[in-house]
Amino acid sequence: DVMAAGDKFGYAVAVDYSGNNIVVSSPQADINYQNQGSAYIFEYKNDSSVYEYRIIQKLESFEQFPNEFFGQSICISPNTGVIAVGANNSPYVQPTIFDNSQTSFDEQRTSFKNFDGFTGSVYVFEKKEHTYYLTEKLDADLSLNESFGTSVSCEENVVVVGSPDYIEPITEENNIVFTGTKVGMVRMFK
């Protein structure tokens, strides 16, 4: 895997408590030429003569959204059990609901989706043995274009996410709209 000019390698970095593991983001790394982003985990190792940090794993979003900016923010828990990666430009897909979900047809095999802005998301990876696996995507109950995932912090059982562009929703004629002032928000997930 080759890093290219414009990938913004080193945009965000995080180090564990021991200093033996470093996570480095590259939020505009190309996946299918789409600036989706990636993050690299480095571990301090030696081969009996040279001590150096070496790439042990590359993390990517499981989505295929162009310009998602996976790696906008990043954290690693002190004992390396959890890595959280912010992607502040992930689109939000809102399901279409008819009659308060009481209408059904074709045995509910057809679904409708509306892209409702780029709210952002945070991907949580947990370490199992020596490999990190995606365990959760945080993105529920977001306002439009709030930049959820611009900042992240994590411990073993807690992930805290910043959304500097959050707008408090208001109701206008039975519709929820996001036209107010940006007030920002921080959410904690346990």
Side-chain angles (χ1 to χ4, degrees):
D1 197 19
V2 178
M3 290 176 236
D7 286 355
K8 293 193 173 183
F9 178 80
Y11 189 85
V13 295
V15 61
D16 73 335
Y17 181 75
S18 70
N20 289 326
N21 295 276
I22 298 173
V23 185
V24 180
S25 75
S26 185
Q28 291 185 351
D30 287 334
I31 299 172
N32 299 323
Y33 306 103
Q34 298 292 322
N35 289 337
Q36 186 176 355
S38 61
Y40 301 86
I41 304 168
F42 292 83
E43 187 175 62
Y44 192 67
K45 293 189 173 195
N46 72 346
D47 61 3
S48 74
S49 63
V50 178
Y51 289 90
E52 63 187 359
Y53 286 93
R54 297 184 184 154
I55 294 175
I56 60 168
Q57 189 175 349
K58 178 181 179 181
L59 303 177
E60 297 176 341
S61 163
F62 72 93
E63 304 286 3
Q64 293 295 315
F65 299 129
N67 301 312
E68 183 176 21
F69 302 126
F70 178 89
Q72 168 72 29
S73 58
I74 199 157
C75 71
I76 184 169
S77 62
N79 75 356
T80 73
V82 174
I83 293 175
V85 181
N88 71 329
N89 204 43
S90 294
Y92 175 68
V93 180
Q94 181 179 18
T96 300
I97 300 172
F98 300 99
D99 308 347
N100 295 324
S101 297
Q102 296 174 13
T103 301
S104 65
F105 55 94
D106 74 359
E107 297 176 1
Q108 297 181 349
R109 288 179 288 194
T110 302
S111 64
F112 301 90
K113 295 179 181 178
N114 296 322
F115 282 93
D116 261 357
F118 296 88
T119 57
S121 58
V122 171
Y123 297 88
V124 180
F125 297 84
E126 291 184 9
K127 190 174 188 178
K128 306 289 185 213
E129 308 242 344
H130 301 289
T131 304
Y132 287 90
Y133 296 97
L134 178 66
T135 56
E136 191 169 7
K137 179 181 177 186
L138 307 175
D139 67 354
D141 298 327
L142 304 175
S143 74
L144 303 178
N145 305 312
E146 73 172 68
S147 298
F148 179 80
T150 295
S151 58
V152 295
S153 183
C154 61
E155 294 289 330
E156 293 311 304
N157 298 318
V158 177
V159 176
V160 180
V161 182
S163 302
D165 296 331
Y166 176 81
I167 298 172
E168 187 72 37
I170 57 173
T171 304
E172 288 182 1
E173 299 178 11
N174 295 326
N175 293 315
I176 296 175
V177 295
F178 300 90
T179 57
T181 305
K182 292 179 182 179
V183 294
M185 179 176 278
V186 174
R187 294 180 181 89
M188 181 185 309
F189 299 88
K190 288 185 172 192

